[in-house]
Amino acid sequence: GAKWFYLDDDGDMLTDSWVDDEYYVGADGAMLVNQWAKTVADEDVDDPEDDGDSWYYFGSKGKKVSGTDKKINGKTYIFDEDGKMQDGWYQDGDAVYYLGGEDEGWRASGWLWLEKPDDDDEIAICDDNCEACDEEGWYWFGNDGKMYKGAKQKKINGKYYYFNDHGQMLYEWINGVKSTKASNAQLDSGDITATPSEVRYMNVVEEGWRADGWYQIDGAEALDAGDDTDWYYFKDGKAKRADTDKDRNYLTDDGKDVFRAKIKVEGKYF
């Protein structure tokens, strides 16, 4: 199709320049159509304190896309009111997205290992002082790009996972019953409590799904068992355990009552 060119006040062809803050001409002078450009905003061209280059997309009529999201070559991007492509952590109302690095920008989906949001990200759910999350962790984003942040279990690809309400996947020993930020956190310190019936085991951080079967692991700090490595049998993340109402043996260990129960696993008793 035909190409559009623009001339300056002296009649010279413009190149690598904004036109009316809405259009852009490339190195050959032709107006960009259905193309990306990484450049400084029009109002910042002569500003020595500008924010640096940003990505812009110019649609089928050459006008920059602004104030909306747009699917381009199968990927969804978000542009602010000035047309700058957004990147990194991004929040829209209650929905939180991750838009990749500054030269990526597309809306992510699936599992991502990320640094938690900080003050610079302007994400309401987390900041530099957030203690509910590790500095880095696993996050899961749906097909619509929204980060899952419900403080309850979620089935993903046939396996169950738990997340805190900041969206970070929980792992190892957790409180799997209460759903507040403070209680549904990893049970790795003495100031987080849980009863034996509330405890779940979610595998190591590289896995994170709900445990099933036999595991030889350290116990939960919240149950005063963090220094003991023992065998546990899990079903749906819950450890098989004795019933304190009916399995008391009237024995003690360091002054504590001992409870014992027999369980059957794959035809064998333990």
Side-chain angles (χ1 to χ4, degrees):
K3 294 184 178 181
W4 287 89
F5 297 84
Y6 290 86
L7 306 178
D8 64 16
D9 293 339
D10 297 324
D12 296 323
M13 183 179 71
L14 287 174
T15 59
D16 288 324
S17 300
W18 284 95
V19 178
D20 298 331
D21 193 35
E22 296 287 349
Y23 306 90
Y24 196 82
V25 292
D28 62 353
M31 182 181 72
L32 299 188
V33 175
N34 294 327
Q35 293 182 67
W36 288 96
K38 188 176 185 180
T39 185
V40 177
D42 191 18
E43 65 270 19
D44 294 334
V45 170
D46 298 320
D47 184 356
E49 298 182 359
D50 68 78
D51 293 332
D53 291 348
S54 298
W55 282 103
Y56 299 84
Y57 187 78
F58 301 88
S60 59
K61 295 183 178 180
K63 190 174 183 179
K64 71 179 180 183
V65 176
S66 60
T68 188
D69 58 77
K70 183 175 178 61
K71 182 173 283 190
I72 302 169
N73 296 328
K75 296 178 179 179
T76 300
Y77 300 81
I78 298 175
F79 300 87
D80 70 9
E81 295 300 325
D82 296 319
K84 294 180 181 179
M85 181 196 78
Q86 303 299 286
D87 61 76
W89 289 101
Y90 179 82
Q91 185 165 0
D92 182 12
D94 291 332
V96 177
Y97 304 88
Y98 189 74
L99 306 177
E102 64 178 21
D103 291 324
E104 296 171 335
W106 56 84
R107 200 170 63 189
S109 61
W111 287 104
L112 286 179
W113 177 268
L114 299 170
E115 293 183 359
K116 70 176 184 179
D118 57 27
D119 290 345
D120 293 335
D121 294 309
E122 299 181 354
I123 302 298
I125 61 170
C126 212
D127 56 29
D128 289 344
N129 298 319
C130 170
E131 297 181 355
C133 299
D134 292 342
E135 289 301 315
E136 297 180 345
W138 285 106
Y139 298 83
W140 190 80
F141 301 84
N143 291 331
D144 59 359
K146 293 181 181 179
M147 180 186 73
Y148 181 77
K149 51 185 174 69
K152 56 185 178 181
Q153 68 176 353
K154 181 173 180 61
K155 190 175 185 180
I156 302 171
N157 297 328
K159 296 180 179 180
Y160 288 91
Y161 300 82
Y162 278 84
F163 299 81
N164 63 23
D165 60 1
H166 289 193
Q168 197 173 86
M169 184 199 78
L170 301 177
Y171 59 93
E172 296 182 357
W173 293 103
I174 70 167
N175 187 324
V177 176
K178 297 178 181 178
S179 59
T180 63
K181 175 176 61 179
S183 64
N184 196 22
Q186 292 153 210
L187 302 180
D188 57 1
S189 64
D191 59 350
I192 301 175
T193 61
T195 65
S197 63
E198 293 172 335
V199 167
R200 304 288 185 271
Y201 188 73
M202 304 303 294
N203 280 295
V204 294
V205 67
E206 292 82 5
E207 298 170 343
W209 55 81
R210 195 174 65 185
D212 281 289
W214 287 104
Y215 287 74
Q216 187 179 26
I217 54 176
D218 291 343
E221 290 281 355
L223 301 180
D224 296 324
D227 296 328
D228 299 326
T229 301
D230 292 298
W231 282 99
Y232 295 82
Y233 184 80
F234 295 97
K235 177 66 175 177
D236 297 336
K238 302 177 185 178
K240 290 288 186 179
R241 60 187 181 86
D243 189 322
T244 56
D245 291 327
K246 65 180 182 180
D247 294 326
R248 184 178 179 185
N249 286 266
Y250 296 97
L251 301 174
T252 60
D253 182 9
D254 290 334
K256 296 181 180 179
D257 291 335
V258 174
F259 301 88
R260 292 177 179 172
K262 182 170 64 175
I263 64 171
K264 187 176 183 180
V265 179
E266 297 178 354
K268 297 180 180 179
Y269 287 94
F270 299 86

